[in-house]
Amino acid sequence: MAAGLSLLALLVAAPNAAATPTGTLPPAPPEIPAPLSFTAVDRPGDSGDAILLTWQDPPGLPADAMVEIRRAQPPADEWTEVAEVKPGVGRHVDTTARDGNVYRYEIRVRSAATADSSGIAGAVGPPVVSDPAASHDDWFRSERTNSLIAVVLFIGIILGSIGVARSGKNIFIRKIAGLNALDEAIGRATEIGKKVMYIPGSASMDDIQSVASIAILGNVARATARYGADLDVPNKDPLTFASALEAVRGAYLAEGRPDLFREEMVNYVTYDQFAFTAAVSARMIRERPAAIFLIGYFYAESLILAETGQSVGAIQIAGQADPTQLPFFVATCDYTLIGEELYAASAYLTREPVLLGSVRGQDIAKAILIVLGILGIAAASFGVHGVADLFRTQ
């Protein structure tokens, strides 16, 4: 009887022993670690409506892991998804926050390829919840302190240079051939009794090149008033026309020759680009001016005007800061003001202390930036990245 019971017990236990071998357990699903040092604070130095979230990625994250960011607004406990970011970022700015509201944030790591405890893919790690945070505006953005220092330094250099110029010290500006030839071109026109034509570009007065061109026009008009040469200023834009008229009138008054000024010297042609080009080109051929100035912002008409002026034998002085049309002027004109020479022309011609000091101050600031750039490149080449951080703004 005892032997039969032992045999029955062995038969019952045999299937269980076969199903689970002795000393072997089913493998536990891998655990996804939680992010570390999670904080949620108002983003410093901004105009509000932004909360800065920072954290550290834990070691051992799956290759397809994503950091999921959720938000709740107390007293409600309903979490809404804000964003998903890849590991390695370590920060996120919630720009959907609104000033005056308090939020709590939760982050957790999700892996689509990792199975959870029930064997279903899409495991989620334990969440980490932040302390309550609220956004507000700030009057000073500390992250842009370097920009403030740079602006103050630049203004100081400009004001100091203006002071040096006003003290009577000679401010050196390298010779610009096109501006040195200005009196030569106008003098030639006076000698042979022909016109001086000045075209202040095709753009309106909202373009800085048009402003610089009108300043140069004032100096050209003073020279024509001084020599008694006839001046012709055709215009495409109405605002440029009005500005040019006042500049020429003021130049003749400043030279004490208002009797030589005529309203028709400065004339409006048409706003259409190629109608203006055709009209001015025809005027060049009919009247054959001895000197032509093409200074300002020009478009496709630049080559047509410059070639026509060259065909009538005029001395041509051009100037433009946009490199798209400069090759045409260089090829067809006697002198060309390139880039910043156009903007420095007024200071070069008038020798006015404020203008001279401004040009000198800008050159000093550009030299400082070049030196700092070279130092930054050298530092980065040797693995010193702190120099680049000094110039980083947000």
Side-chain angles (χ1 to χ4, degrees):
M1 184 68 177
L5 291 173
S6 300
L7 180 60
L8 180 60
L10 289 173
L11 292 174
V12 172
N16 294 332
T20 306
T22 304
T24 303
L25 296 174
E31 292 186 0
I32 298 179
L36 307 174
S37 305
F38 178 47
T39 60
V41 296
D42 172 58
R43 185 174 66 176
D46 63 1
S47 58
D49 294 337
I51 292 179
L52 174 64
L53 311 174
T54 59
W55 66 89
Q56 294 180 4
D57 293 330
L61 289 178
D64 67 330
M66 294 292 291
V67 179
E68 185 181 73
I69 303 173
R70 302 199 301 171
R71 183 182 72 188
Q73 187 172 349
D77 293 328
E78 182 179 352
W79 297 98
T80 58
E81 184 173 340
V82 175
E84 274 192 357
V85 297
K86 294 181 179 180
V89 177
R91 59 176 285 153
H92 176 75
V93 178
D94 180 15
T95 56
T96 62
R98 293 294 174 262
D99 293 349
N101 295 334
V102 178
Y103 302 98
R104 293 175 69 91
Y105 289 87
E106 174 191 88
I107 62 170
R108 57 186 184 178
V109 179
R110 179 187 297 275
S111 173
T114 304
D116 57 15
S117 57
S118 61
I120 301 175
V124 178
V128 180
V129 181
S130 71
D131 293 330
S135 63
H136 57 83
D137 58 342
D138 301 299
W139 67 273
F140 182 76
R141 187 161 185 174
S142 58
E143 296 173 342
R144 294 184 178 177
T145 304
N146 52 359
S147 297
L148 175 63
I149 295 173
V151 169
V152 172
L153 179 63
F154 178 71
I155 293 175
I157 292 173
I158 294 292
L159 294 178
S161 298
I162 292 174
V164 170
R166 283 179 169 171
S167 68
K169 184 178 179 179
N170 183 37
I171 302 296
F172 171 76
I173 297 181
R174 67 173 178 83
K175 291 184 177 181
I176 302 175
L179 299 178
N180 289 337
L182 187 146
D183 284 338
E184 173 193 345
I186 298 175
R188 180 188 177 212
T190 305
E191 289 175 356
I192 62 179
K194 290 189 176 181
K195 281 187 175 183
V196 174
M197 179 175 284
Y198 190 103
I199 306 173
S202 299
S204 187
M205 291 305 295
D206 59 348
D207 191 285
I208 187 62
Q209 296 185 63
S210 297
V211 177
S213 177
I214 295 301
I216 299 172
L217 172 60
N219 291 280
V220 171
R222 293 190 69 158
T224 57
R226 208 163 42 243
Y227 295 135
D230 193 10
L231 178 64
D232 184 13
V233 187
N235 290 270
K236 172 184 173 291
D237 184 83
L239 295 179
T240 307
F241 162 67
S243 301
L245 181 62
E246 293 304 316
V248 173
R249 179 186 284 114
Y252 275 77
L253 287 174
E255 286 295 321
R257 300 302 304 271
D259 54 305
L260 296 180
F261 173 74
R262 304 187 314 277
E263 293 279 347
E264 58 269 20
M265 283 181 173
V266 184
N267 49 86
Y268 178 73
V269 181
T270 177
Y271 193 76
D272 185 83
Q273 178 184 10
F274 289 104
F276 171 79
T277 305
V280 174
S281 298
R283 191 181 299 180
M284 289 180 184
I285 295 172
R286 287 194 309 270
E287 301 178 359
R288 306 183 71 84
I292 298 175
F293 294 85
L294 299 159
I295 299 177
Y297 192 89
F298 291 86
Y299 298 92
E301 71 278 2
S302 60
L303 183 59
I304 300 174
L305 294 172
E307 281 188 328
T308 305
Q310 186 187 51
S311 68
V312 301
I315 295 179
Q316 295 195 109
I317 300 175
Q320 181 162 339
D322 192 333
T324 57
Q325 306 301 324
L326 279 176
F328 306 127
F329 286 143
V330 172
T332 55
C333 297
D334 300 279
Y335 303 96
T336 304
L337 305 179
I338 299 175
E340 291 190 343
E341 292 179 347
L342 176 64
Y343 304 127
S346 183
Y348 186 91
L349 294 170
T350 63
R351 311 297 297 182
E352 209 281 325
V354 174
L355 298 178
L356 283 175
S358 299
V359 171
R360 179 177 182 269
Q362 292 173 41
D363 287 344
I364 293 174
K366 284 183 284 189
I368 293 174
L369 290 176
I370 291 173
V371 171
L372 291 176
I374 294 173
L375 292 177
I377 293 171
S381 300
F382 289 101
V384 180
H385 301 290
V387 177
D389 294 335
L390 296 175
F391 301 96
R392 182 174 289 112
T393 59
Q394 296 183 7

